[in-house]
Amino acid sequence: MKVLFVTSECVPFAKTGGLADVSGALPRALAARGIEVRIVMPLYAGCDWRGLERLDGTLVVPMGWGGRAYCGVRMGTLPGSEVRVYFLEHHAFFDRPYLYGPPGEGYGDNLARFTFLSRGALALTKALGWMPEVIHANDWQTALVPIYVNTVEWGGPLAAAATLFTIHNLAYQGVFGGASLPVTGLGWEHYRAEELEHFGALNLMKGACAHATLLSTVSPTYAREIQTPTFGYGLDGVLAGRSHDLLGILNGIDVDEWDPQADPYLAAPFSAADLTGKAVCKAALQQEAGLPVRPAVPLFGLVGRLTSQKGVDVLAHALDRLLDLDLQFILLGTGDRDAEHFFGTVAARRPDRFCAWFQFDNGRAHRVEAGSDFFLMPSRYEPCGLNQLYSLRYGTLPIVRATGGLADTVVTFDEATGGGTGFCFLDLSPNAIYDTVGWAVATWYQRRGDIEQMRRRAMAQDFSWDHAAGEYEALYQRAIARRRG
Ligand code: ADP
């Protein structure tokens, strides 16, 4: 089976969030199952291109208004695999400080930039003479791919390909002014409520939901949630209309990158069988954070984007009360300026309890995961979430709001049996966060045996990509059968 995987970000080349992790790991797991996968993505500024081979010739990409864009193509492989990664090299579009735009904003020409990526990926496969049976597109940046396959490619060699569109985060839909439709090269006949028009605007994700052979998202619970008004961001009706074609497949994690027994960022390795290294990591983290080095105090970690999705605004209302409990708390994140200001002020006021780092630092993310005892994710919504999976693997018990992938992966503590792998709450409120953290703190001080048991149980879980890749393979097969049928 041949699969073309089109993405706007991929570890280790470019990353802003979980999509990059999926793009770097899923194709490798698919390749291990004998599937021939090729990835297409942009060549961004800052991406190390020295190891990449420059392919001969120039790729011509049809753009809107009958125009064309010209680009070079470089080729590399995903580390540790034979999976080919093709990079579209177009400096005017991608030589910029950010992938999509400065924090909180999108670049004004994002529609043209990602039209170029989507159209360019299809132009490239045709130029290579490599015809995939499945084209897998991801999020709004490549949402035009399934639409093009059904429209401008119709009657051409790619029209036979099945398309799968995966929603990694429904909150970002690729919404542009309706008048900008011609930038995509699509005709006005597609600007209707059944395809790309949504309340007077152009909505790329809506178009993909209408056109893709099958749809998926990154956890079973999120697949159900997005069909409801609360989580659907206006597309719940469209998604409910395709509910039989929409499947939730839980993301895996890169178990080589996130391996407590062989993690180069840590002060000491550890495993479920021998947790002494985890205590060393905790002490090192406390020192790095300038907190008192106290083995007995429960240490809470939080890593993530400081946005309303992650519930940090609600956490802010509970923070002072939380810090009155005997605990320590380390936050690593970037995002809303107001959030950074708020958490920075609290950190300055409570340096013995709370440390806040406002940066994107992968090594630190590893050290927070490893050195903490608990990991906090009070998410408003969470399509899958990776951090709680890393936490489980590092024996750091997640404290989560039971939504999306968090509900699918964390089992709440059962005081009667000692069962569970973390602490869950439903209500997104300061009180619920405070009560649940308080519950974890009480369990830490009073029922250490249960904590140790939960830790070992958490660390024994298998969240490798092998399982997810099997589900994607079955989904690809279903999409191919549907397309042919
Ligand atoms: P999302 O994709 O919604 O941001 P996920 O939990 O699915 O959330 O994935 C976030 C990824 O980004 C994780 O790999 C996490 O470790 C990483 N990450 C987020 N913020 C930071 C940060 N400030 N420093 C380092 N890594 C971060």
Side-chain angles (χ1 to χ4, degrees), residues 15-19 21 169 258 303-305 309-310 332-334 359-362 365 377 382 385-387 390:
K15 167 167 170 171
T16 66
L19 169 61
D21 293 299
N169 191 337
W258 294 89
V303 179
R305 292 179 293 116
Q309 175 192 341
K310 302 296 177 184
L332 170 65
T334 56
Q359 57 183 174
F360 197 96
D361 183 332
N362 190 38
M377 289 181 82
E382 195 62 75
L386 294 171
N387 280 314
Y390 303 148

Side-chain angles (χ1 to χ4, degrees), residues 100-164:
Y100 311 126
E105 293 171 47
Y107 287 124
D109 60 349
N110 270 350
L111 183 59
R113 297 172 79 221
F114 293 101
T115 288
F116 170 79
L117 172 62
S118 304
R119 202 85 198 255
L122 301 179
L124 176 65
T125 33
K126 287 191 288 185
L128 294 170
W130 186 82
M131 293 305 147
E133 279 121 319
V134 178
I135 305 178
H136 188 166
N138 298 278
D139 274 351
W140 74 264
Q141 294 90 339
T142 55
L144 284 165
V145 169
I147 308 170
Y148 288 142
V149 170
N150 282 358
T151 55
V152 292
E153 298 294 339
W154 202 246
L158 284 176
T163 51
L164 173 66

Side-chain angles (χ1 to χ4, degrees), residues 13 35 69 87 98 130 138 145 152 184 244 246-247 272 287 314 325 364 384 389 441:
F13 308 109
I35 297 176
F87 298 86
Y98 300 95
W130 186 82
N138 298 278
V145 169
V152 292
T184 65
H244 296 296
L246 168 63
L247 194 79
Q287 201 155 33
V314 185
L325 299 170
R364 272 205 165 144
C384 173
L389 303 179
V441 171

Side-chain angles (χ1 to χ4, degrees), residues 382-398:
E382 195 62 75
C384 173
L386 294 171
N387 280 314
Q388 84 280 14
L389 303 179
Y390 303 148
S391 303
L392 290 166
R393 191 159 160 78
Y394 281 66
T396 303
L397 303 180

